[in-house]
Amino acid sequence: MSVEIEQPYLYARRELVEPDWTRFPGWREITAEQWADVQWQRVSCVKNIRQLRTVMGDLLTEEFYADLERDQAERATMSMLVPPQMLNTMVSEVTWADGRMPAAGEEFTRAFYADPVRHYMLPVFSDRRTDWASHPYATRDSLHEHDMWVAEGLTHRYPTKVLAEMLPTCPQYCGHCTRMDLVGNSTPQVTKLKLAGKPVDRHTAMLDYLRATPGVRDVVVSGGDVANMPWKNLEAWLDQLLDIESIRDVRLATKALMGMPQHWLAPDVVEGVARVAQKARARGVGLAIHTHVNSAQSVTPLVAQASRTMLDAGIRDVRNQGVLMRGVNDTVPQLLDLCFALADDAMITPYYFYMCDMIPFSEHWRVSLSHAQHLQHSLLGYLPGFSTPRIVCDVPFVGKRWVHQVDTYDTERGISYWRKNYRTSIEGEDVDVTSAEYVYYDPIDTLPASGQEWWRQHTAEHHDGAEQAAYEHARASRQASVDQLG
């Protein structure tokens, strides 16, 4: 899985490339003006196989479409939603080994199967594992965020910061989404849970809690993706948030800075960001954008332009929080290429890489803790310290932990034990958080034969009805949270 770097390493700056979208038959007549129009990007998203066929023409074989259709029917936890900007980075010029676009049919299809962006944005059935498609302990809300709601959609997991889930939609849906139980449309195998309150009531309740809780200084404004919230509504909420004296940091979470940079280049958004940034700076509040880029080929001149425009508008930092995934970015060269692409031209700080969370049907994406530790060790020394990303494990009921913070680790069975140093809102006063152990699991197929056999013997009964039990637990827990909030 790991690829070593030839020594001594020679850095070479790579020029960013905006792929030629007219290479796709369905976009041959699309002008540069249309491509730059955020509304065209939104209405032209690929939402189903029929629309993908229209864009691709004769490039892909029927084998791929059948593979995709089966995944949509039997495995997908997220519905299909791929903006043109993202689809255009798949099998793009920067991936052509000999400088030539693969020929239509079998050659292009092989390249499409191998493409890292395709691998997580358009997963197919043959990508998934058939032995362990889901870990026995995978859950829909793997981080138990809704268990820690203090207002509907407001998760207070860390002592001084909260996560505000403003809305349950995105401009693009990633196959590995950790909020797959809430975000997006239902799929044949996942009936999504819904936010109960009206948006205006939920958003008001969040502000009321923050006004009444001065110990919170840091708010991550997310969802979903804030790029799907009408800017006037988001700005009005941020304006009230910045009036709360205790708030010192605000982070806007948006994959759309990469997936649909046209949104963040739209004049009304740029002007609105400048107004919010001016107020934040006057108050001494740090205002940042956190985006989500997983592959170097996703960093194009338009992405760099959007990032720089946000910085020029007054955003203090643009940072990247990627997800570490097999087949996408699980080697040191892939991670270094991505980090340099982000930092060199886009002025995006490589910040975190999260190990893929334990949601259903994600085992083909997840890597072992030991592999993540190896990657973290191998990255050190190549990048400036401030641009060296930390690889973290988001441990259920705990939060993010640097991969080398593990307390004990059974590598044979792939079970790691973690501790925490703070109390969350769901822990009673009598819980000794410094002594309690919290568990995370490696993907079973990465374990030695003896470890895999142990799991086969101990999980046969667990598989029966596990998905339905997970849904019922999530539904009941969410309803209890809503009831408690009144």
Side-chain angles (χ1 to χ4, degrees):
M1 186 156 33
S2 181
V3 177
E4 299 302 327
I5 297 179
E6 185 177 348
Q7 299 296 329
Y9 176 78
L10 298 178
Y11 162 80
R13 183 177 179 180
R14 300 183 184 183
E15 183 177 356
L16 300 184
V17 174
E18 199 69 51
D20 177 13
W21 56 85
T22 64
R23 74 189 186 281
F24 293 128
W27 292 336
R28 281 184 181 141
E29 305 303 321
I30 300 303
T31 66
E33 290 73 22
Q34 286 175 292
W35 193 263
D37 182 3
V38 64
Q39 290 309 314
W40 184 87
Q41 289 280 329
R42 288 188 186 275
V43 301
S44 302
C45 285
V46 171
K47 304 181 184 71
N48 52 54
I49 293 175
R50 177 184 58 80
Q51 292 174 343
L52 183 63
R53 284 181 182 274
T54 299
V55 173
M56 291 294 177
D58 63 351
L59 291 176
L60 293 171
T61 65
E62 287 302 312
E63 172 196 6
F64 180 83
Y65 292 117
D67 206 358
L68 178 59
E69 184 175 22
R70 185 178 181 187
D71 193 75
Q72 289 286 303
E74 299 180 29
R75 290 290 183 269
T77 59
M78 299 297 292
S79 57
M80 193 186 305
L81 184 63
V82 188
Q85 177 73 27
M86 287 198 72
L87 187 58
N88 193 39
T89 64
M90 300 179 196
V91 194
S92 65
E93 289 88 330
V94 296
T95 71
W96 301 347
D98 56 2
R100 176 188 63 84
M101 179 174 166
E106 291 186 2
E107 185 180 10
F108 187 92
T109 301
R110 282 195 300 272
F112 202 61
Y113 266 113
D115 190 90
V117 179
R118 193 287 307 165
H119 193 64
Y120 77 92
M121 287 303 301
L122 284 172
V124 292
F125 189 85
S126 64
D127 291 334
R128 316 270 186 179
R129 299 202 63 84
T130 55
D131 51 357
W132 299 100
S134 297
H135 193 281
Y137 292 107
T139 57
R140 292 166 52 112
D141 179 18
S142 64
L143 303 182
H144 303 274
E145 288 178 334
H146 59 266
D147 288 327
M148 302 179 212
W149 277 0
V150 289
E152 189 181 22
L154 187 67
T155 299
H156 193 167
R157 175 163 55 160
Y158 300 101
T160 64
K161 54 188 173 182
V162 297
L163 166 72
E165 296 175 71
M166 303 294 288
L167 73 170
T169 65
C170 299
Q172 65 284 303
Y173 291 141
C174 310
H176 63 275
C177 181
T178 190
R179 299 193 184 110
M180 48 74 62
D181 69 321
L182 173 69
V183 171
N185 304 314
S186 295
T187 69
Q189 50 283 333
V190 179
T191 301
K192 300 299 175 90
L193 300 168
K194 302 296 183 182
L195 293 168
K198 296 179 180 179
V200 64
D201 296 333
R202 291 192 298 100
H203 299 163
T204 298
M206 292 176 183
L207 292 170
D208 288 344
Y209 177 81
L210 294 172
R211 292 186 186 105
T213 315
V216 175
R217 64 174 303 282
D218 183 354
V219 180
V220 178
V221 187
S222 183
D225 189 316
V226 295
N228 258 24
M229 191 170 175
W231 176 260
K232 63 181 179 61
N233 296 349
L234 179 59
E235 182 175 355
W237 192 84
L238 292 172
D239 190 61
Q240 295 179 76
L241 179 66
L242 289 172
D243 286 334
I244 301 174
E245 182 59 33
S246 58
I247 302 304
R248 311 311 303 165
D249 276 295
V250 176
R251 301 180 249 174
L252 307 179
T254 172
K255 187 186 182 74
L257 188 76
M258 175 275 286
M260 195 179 285
Q262 293 85 353
H263 170 81
W264 295 101
L265 289 168
D268 64 318
V269 175
V270 175
E271 294 165 5
V273 168
R275 289 190 294 268
V276 174
Q278 183 178 27
K279 181 170 183 176
R281 184 163 295 182
R283 281 211 52 236
V285 175
L287 180 65
I289 284 178
H290 283 199
T291 193
H292 176 180
V293 188
N294 292 322
S295 178
Q297 69 199 62
S298 297
V299 187
T300 75
L302 267 175
V303 175
Q305 182 185 353
S307 174
R308 288 172 174 267
T309 298
M310 289 295 97
L311 292 169
D312 289 343
I315 292 289
R316 188 180 75 181
D317 293 296
V318 180
R319 309 181 185 111
N320 186 58
Q321 295 187 170
V323 174
L324 189 64
M325 289 183 283
R326 274 194 271 185
V328 178
N329 53 23
D330 61 336
T331 71
V332 179
Q334 287 171 328
L335 289 177
L336 283 180
D337 285 349
L338 172 53
C339 290
F340 282 125
L342 291 167
D344 284 352
D345 291 294
M347 299 185 71
I348 298 174
T349 301
Y351 181 40
Y352 281 131
F353 280 100
Y354 284 80
M355 295 178 66
C356 185
D357 292 320
M358 290 177 55
I359 58 169
F361 304 124
S362 66
E363 291 305 275
H364 65 295
W365 282 311
R366 296 203 306 123
V367 303
S368 67
L369 175 64
S370 61
H371 184 69
Q373 291 173 331
H374 165 74
L375 291 174
Q376 182 73 92
H377 173 83
S378 301
L379 280 176
L380 296 175
Y382 292 98
L383 296 149
F386 57 83
S387 286
T388 300
R390 282 171 284 177
I391 299 178
V392 295
C393 180
D394 214 338
V395 182
F397 291 113
V398 178
K400 57 183 172 290
R401 282 291 183 265
W402 185 44
V403 290
H404 285 88
Q405 280 185 283
V406 63
D407 192 58
T408 57
Y409 183 18
D410 179 347
T411 56
E412 181 184 17
R413 298 174 182 176
I415 305 174
S416 51
Y417 299 89
W418 307 75
R419 298 183 187 277
K420 61 193 296 186
N421 57 322
Y422 46 79
R423 191 187 311 278
T424 66
S425 60
I426 63 171
E427 290 161 330
E429 293 295 326
D430 58 340
V431 174
D432 182 0
V433 297
T434 63
S435 63
E437 287 187 324
Y438 302 85
V439 185
Y440 186 82
Y441 302 93
D442 286 348
I444 295 172
D445 69 281
T446 65
L447 304 180
S450 59
Q452 294 189 42
E453 179 59 28
W454 185 89
W455 278 102
R456 277 190 288 269
Q457 293 179 4
H458 286 76
T459 59
E461 295 180 0
H462 184 90
H463 280 290
D464 296 335
E467 286 304 307
Q468 183 61 30
Y471 172 78
E472 292 300 332
H473 172 77
R475 184 196 58 76
S477 179
R478 185 170 299 254
Q479 188 58 51
S481 296
V482 172
D483 292 344
Q484 182 179 2
L485 297 170

